[in-house]
Amino acid sequence: MKIALLSRNRKLYSSRRIIEAAEKAGHKVVVIDVLRAYMNVVSHKPSIHYKGQDLTGFDAVIPRIGASVTHYGTAVLRQFEMMGVVSLNESVAITRSRDKLRSLQLLSRKGIGMPLTGYASKPDDIKDVIKMVGGAPLVIKLLQGTQGIGVVLAETQKAAESVIEGFMGVHADILIQEFIKEAGGSDIRCFVIDGKVAAAMKRQGAEGEFRSNLHRGGSSSLIKITPEERSTAVRASQIMGLNVAGVDLLRSNHGPVVMEVNSSPGLEGIEGATGKDIAGMIIDNLEKLQPGKTRTRGHG
Ligand code: ADP
């Protein structure tokens, strides 16, 4: 197969591993920086140009689109889809999962457990929103944040009010969430491929840190997940329409709750913690996908 890897940096661990696994399986990989791709949107013959060349003859595309370029990156991916090229994860599914509020609404509609979550846009309603999610302690999250940046724990009602007021004062979009204290600063990353949890790891925040992000000094280790956690992760990725996903769960008193479904989960942490060849499994799965048999077609 001729595979387009949409990545802004071929040197990143995940990109390197995907290229390695694809080449090992006999495929050819072309790395494409989406910001250098440009398109014509016409009826009948959509095409993509890249640094002056027509991008043709691709069989499959692997999107690894960074959060900051989601809008343009998914437009390029959509163009590939319009040209009949099969994608590991489709543009609609990526767009859904990148919008924290939208994805939580989709998950709640299907009865997936999640932390009690509130959303408001005007400071006048802060007190009532805090009440709706059960009062302090609360976690307040910037909708645009990644890697734990913009995730704040407010221990008291007063702290929560002033943090929310502060974010709203600069017109930031936020979520207000029940604090799952019993998770003890750890979460579980389930790596889902084609309806199965291919690997799982526990991430533990550094001493005194409630955020378990590896970028914030957290550490990862192997974990055995329960059947309920397994089915929650699989269902969450299916609801998003993602073929490959990193589903982040917290162990709460009321069962597993989903925090986030990631459409470009990193490979370094999970391959390091589990010793599994996740990149190889992704390529095996890509080989089985067929264009036109999309799960997300026609669904916003
Ligand atoms: P990001 O997408 O920026 O990583 P997350 O929503 O995943 O933000 O939050 C970062 C970390 O903070 C999580 O991995 C988890 O350890 C912790 N965390 C987030 N939400 C909650 C919550 N409601 N209760 C307890 N811990 C939380």
Side-chain angles (χ1 to χ4, degrees):
M1 283 199 295
K2 186 172 162 192
I3 301 171
L5 173 62
L6 307 187
S7 166
R8 302 213 56 214
N9 186 351
R10 64 166 67 234
K11 298 204 178 84
L12 293 177
Y13 179 92
S14 302
S15 301
R16 275 194 286 118
R17 285 285 299 125
I18 286 170
I19 296 168
E20 208 174 274
E23 289 177 349
K24 197 169 150 205
H27 305 300
K28 181 175 161 34
V29 182
V30 180
V31 179
I32 292 165
D33 172 358
V34 284
L35 293 189
R36 294 293 309 274
Y38 43 102
M39 307 157 274
N40 66 345
V41 185
V42 289
S43 308
H44 306 307
K45 202 179 175 302
S47 68
I48 308 176
H49 277 211
Y50 187 64
K51 299 181 181 172
Q53 307 250 334
D54 205 356
L55 287 181
T56 52
F58 284 94
D59 303 296
V61 50
I62 300 180
R64 304 276 319 171
I65 297 167
S68 59
V69 296
T70 300
H71 188 68
Y72 195 75
T74 49
V76 174
L77 178 58
R78 211 155 35 238
Q79 193 84 351
F80 272 106
E81 290 165 3
M82 286 157 64
M83 290 158 59
V85 183
V86 72
S87 179
L88 184 70
N89 277 333
E90 293 183 345
S91 55
V92 169
I94 296 173
T95 313
R96 277 181 195 148
S97 70
R98 283 286 160 85
D99 181 336
K100 287 194 190 195
L101 182 62
R102 181 180 181 189
S103 50
L104 287 178
Q105 285 176 322
L106 287 170
L107 295 174
S108 80
R109 198 166 76 188
K110 299 283 181 181
I112 296 283
M114 64 186 60
L116 211 52
T117 303
Y119 179 75
S121 102
K122 283 272 177 272
D124 316 351
D125 309 313
I126 294 175
K127 282 201 168 69
D128 196 35
V129 177
I130 292 178
K131 208 156 86 197
M132 274 171 81
V133 294
L138 286 175
V139 175
I140 297 146
K141 295 186 187 183
L142 271 178
L143 282 185
Q144 296 86 346
T146 58
Q147 303 177 349
I149 297 167
V151 179
V152 179
L153 173 61
E155 312 243 17
T156 64
Q157 168 90 16
K158 278 278 153 250
E161 282 175 21
S162 54
V163 171
I164 296 168
E165 244 166 43
F167 278 149
M168 284 183 170
V170 293
H171 305 289
D173 273 329
I174 52 170
L175 287 181
I176 301 150
Q177 211 163 59
E178 159 197 19
F179 175 48
I180 310 292
K181 186 164 191 279
E182 59 273 23
S186 72
D187 74 353
I188 300 171
R189 158 60 60 93
C190 298
F191 205 106
V192 180
I193 304 176
D194 188 26
K196 289 184 208 72
V197 177
M201 66 174 168
K202 176 179 167 172
R203 297 180 299 197
Q204 178 71 51
E207 187 70 30
E209 172 61 74
F210 81 100
R211 295 168 300 176
S212 60
N213 303 71
L214 303 181
H215 289 96
R216 310 250 72 74
S219 56
S220 58
S221 58
L222 264 180
I223 189 171
K224 193 163 165 33
I225 58 170
T226 65
E228 193 188 3
E229 286 161 353
R230 195 171 287 278
S231 69
T232 301
V234 168
R235 284 192 61 215
S237 49
Q238 278 166 347
I239 291 164
M240 291 296 134
L242 290 167
N243 191 45
V244 170
V247 182
D248 294 339
L249 302 174
L250 292 173
R251 278 186 172 163
S252 83
N253 289 338
H254 43 99
V257 290
V258 173
M259 256 183 328
E260 197 173 15
V261 184
N262 196 315
S263 58
S264 289
L267 299 186
E268 190 165 14
I270 195 86
E271 287 195 340
T274 63
K276 290 191 178 172
D277 176 15
I278 302 293
M281 292 187 216
I282 288 176
I283 299 299
D284 285 350
N285 180 243
L286 188 67
E287 289 169 357
K288 285 193 249 154
L289 298 179
Q290 284 175 24
K293 298 257 159 80
T294 68
R295 287 186 208 179
T296 53
R297 178 169 285 178
H299 299 275

